[in-house]
Structures are given as structure tokens and as C-alpha cells.
Amino acid sequence: MVIAKLKERWMQKKSRQIVCAVWGLSNHAKSEIIPGLKKTGLYRLKWVGGSNEERAVLFRKRFKFQMHTTQFSEILEDTDVRAVFIITKNRMHAPLSLQALRAGKAVFVEKPMVLTYEECREIAKEVERSNQAFTVGISRRFSPVLRFVKEHIARRTSPATVIYRFNQPKNKYFWADEEGGMITHMFAHYVDVPSWLLDEKPKIVYAESSSNEQKKEIQSKNVVATIKFSGGSIAAIVYTTDGDTSFEREVIDVFCEGKVVRMKNFKDVEIYDSGKIKRLSFSQDKGLRNQLTEFARKIKGERSEVISIEDCISSAVFPFKVVESIRMNNAVSLDWQKSNKK
């Protein structure tokens, strides 16, 4: 009797799960995305795939997927699959997302969403046409510690100043390559977080990169970008590889109305107010599990805080504009629709 009831509950839970597929056999998929999907309990892992069949077999066995494949088309042809998670090479993000949307699948794609303006336009049109759930893997706004910071500054009535510092010593990535380079890969976070914290839209960016005056080279190893927002707030993004691993990796400072709120490594918060310091600690959490939960709600048609397509586009275009600003040595508008660039 007890066993029968447990089996019935398990079957009911399974029937409510979203059948999904993961395309991409990267370390990020292995260490973050797939474990995150399993922890939510909201997804049923049916397909896992990529170009390396031996690795696909290992993923299937390790994470208990039902099937593996080296053909993306097999996943799209499976009518049971409702959602596809694209965690593969950057240059394939947009083409595979478009294929999945056209096949009637919900899409979760890792950053960067696109590598060109034209891909951005195509994604925007296809999301609107297909009416499928779509989002990008920029999870930091779903972090519990950042949610605390946002609640703490929510009642402000004047513009704020944000400093977002990212310390990544010994970075191996260069200015740009076929996968877009580190600016394209990481800077989506650096516009999404302050935009969400402030509830303001980014309008203008001015960026500078460290350079070798003798070789006249532009390098992405050290970049400082300043953003002006729609409500009058400003943010300074500092990305550097010249630091040390003993120093905090990510630090966000918010200055507003005589207070300062500092977040360190998605774990610690310091509040400076009236000459006093209050310190709080959280379990380190960059928000992935919460984002996957919100994506599931969106797919089911429930109320969801999934990142909107407008914000996905904003985060995708921002790195292009940072590069443009550095090369032009001038501030540039973040209105992507007015850009004629490919």
C-alpha cells in the first residue's frame, strides 16, 4: 500500500516535469547547468547531445538522461521535448536557438546570446513569432544576496551610483576570436545586474581599455566602462586581469542617499549607514537554480520573473557597444535598433 502510493506520487511528479534536452558537453554544462536542472525537480532529462559521441554517452550515464545524440535535429524532431538548453560554442548559440524556436521549443541559451546585430534581430523576431519561452543564462539577478541588496535600496528617490568590479587574474582570453572574446562572453552580466538593481534602462556607455602605446594594441584584459541610465543613475564597470586570486572576485558597491551597500562574491553584504557598519553573510549563490525555476514557470504559463527578451537583447548588445566605444574613443548609444552594423 505504502509502496503503491509512493509510486503514484512519483508518477504524478514525473508527469508535471518539463521534458528537456541539453545540447552541449562543456564543463559548464556538467558542473552547473545539468546539476541545476536536477536540483529543481522541475525537469525530466530526456536528451543530451553534442559533437563528441563518447562524451555524450558519459553525460547520459552520469546524469541519467534517457538518450544521447550527436544530431541536434533528433532533439528538434522529438515532440515530447518542450525545452532545449543550448550550452555549446558561442558561435552556435544564435543558429541553434533559431532552429529550436522554429521547431516550437522553449529555449534557454548560454551567454552570449548572439555574436552579431543581425543575429540579435533574428532572435527578437523569432521569439515574437513563435511565442515560445526564451531566456539567456545571465543568472546573477536571481542571486538571493543581490535580491537583498535590491530590496535595501528600493525606496530611494534619487539617482544612485554603482561600481561593479570583476577581478579575474591570469585571464587566457584575448580581445576577440571566433567565439567573441571575453568582453562578449562576460559583459552581459555587467549591464544586466545594475540595470535590474536600479530598475533603470541603460542609455549610453563610454569605455576604455588598457593598451600598449608602442604596439597600439587594444586589449580586453583590462576594461573600464561607464554607463548612464534612464533614471539618471550611473555605473562604472571595472574588469581587470591584473589583480591577485586572494582578492575578491566580484564586488558591487551601491551608493545612494547617504548609504553604501557592498556585496562581495555573492556571499557577504556590508551596509554603511549613519557612521555604522552592518555585516551579513549568505550561502554563496549566483542564482542559477532560481533562474531555472523561473524559466520552468514561464514554460508552464505561470507567473514568472524570467528575464524578458528586451533585457536579453540589452545584455547581448552591450558588449558590442563597449567594443565600439573603445575603438571610437567616444561614448555610444545603447539603442541597438538604430545600429546599422552587422
Side-chain angles (χ1 to χ4, degrees), residues 7-228:
K7 184 175 181 180
E8 182 181 356
R9 289 178 184 175
W10 180 80
M11 291 299 292
Q12 289 175 348
K13 179 180 178 181
K14 188 175 180 181
S15 67
R16 293 193 296 267
Q17 289 179 321
I18 296 166
V19 179
C20 72
V22 175
W23 182 262
L25 306 170
S26 65
N27 288 332
H28 182 59
K30 180 175 68 174
S31 63
E32 301 290 341
I33 299 298
I34 299 174
L37 290 170
K38 292 176 75 71
K39 287 177 181 177
T40 67
L42 299 172
Y43 298 89
R44 178 152 64 89
L45 308 182
K46 186 169 185 180
W47 287 94
V48 64
S51 58
N52 187 320
E53 183 166 17
E54 183 178 353
R55 191 166 172 83
V57 171
L58 290 173
F59 271 54
R60 174 175 60 80
K61 292 180 178 178
R62 175 172 178 174
F63 296 107
K64 295 180 172 55
F65 283 87
Q66 291 176 249
M67 303 177 184
H68 74 272
T69 182
T70 58
Q71 301 298 318
F72 191 64
S73 58
E74 284 194 83
I75 291 172
L76 301 185
E77 291 165 3
D78 188 336
T79 56
D80 288 339
V81 173
R82 295 182 65 187
V84 179
F85 291 80
I86 298 171
I87 322 293
T88 187
K89 292 181 178 180
N90 293 351
R91 65 178 180 275
M92 296 305 299
H93 287 182
L96 295 181
S97 294
L98 288 167
Q99 289 181 42
L101 288 168
R102 288 163 182 161
K105 312 297 185 186
V107 172
F108 180 109
V109 61
E110 255 307 320
K111 63 182 189 320
M113 181 181 86
V114 298
L115 292 181
T116 67
Y117 286 109
E118 184 55 37
E119 287 179 338
C120 199
R121 296 186 184 99
E122 289 184 60
I123 292 285
K125 290 179 182 178
E126 196 56 42
V127 169
E128 182 178 8
R129 185 206 66 79
S130 67
N131 198 31
Q132 291 293 327
F134 178 90
T135 199
V136 179
I138 41 179
S139 63
R140 282 160 168 76
R141 65 161 67 181
F142 297 95
S143 166
V145 68
L146 276 188
R147 300 219 155 198
F148 173 85
V149 172
K150 181 167 182 172
E151 290 172 4
H152 197 78
I153 65 171
R155 295 181 180 179
R156 67 182 177 86
T157 57
S158 58
T161 299
V162 176
I163 300 175
Y164 193 159
R165 187 171 68 238
F166 192 86
N167 170 47
Q168 190 174 33
K170 302 178 181 179
N171 174 27
K172 296 179 181 179
Y173 290 84
F174 295 100
W175 171 255
D177 56 24
E178 62 180 358
E179 299 299 331
M182 185 51 72
I183 288 181
T184 301
H185 187 71
M186 288 301 298
F187 271 56
H189 288 305
Y190 307 153
V191 70
D192 185 70
V193 167
S195 298
W196 173 79
L197 277 177
L198 300 169
D199 278 326
E200 297 182 29
K201 298 296 183 183
K203 305 298 289 185
I204 298 170
V205 64
Y206 175 72
E208 286 279 6
S209 170
S210 61
S211 59
N212 186 313
E213 292 299 326
Q214 293 180 338
K215 295 183 178 180
K216 301 297 182 182
E217 294 177 350
I218 299 175
Q219 303 170 3
S220 66
K221 293 181 178 180
N222 300 284
V223 176
V224 176
T226 303
I227 310 170
K228 184 66 178 288

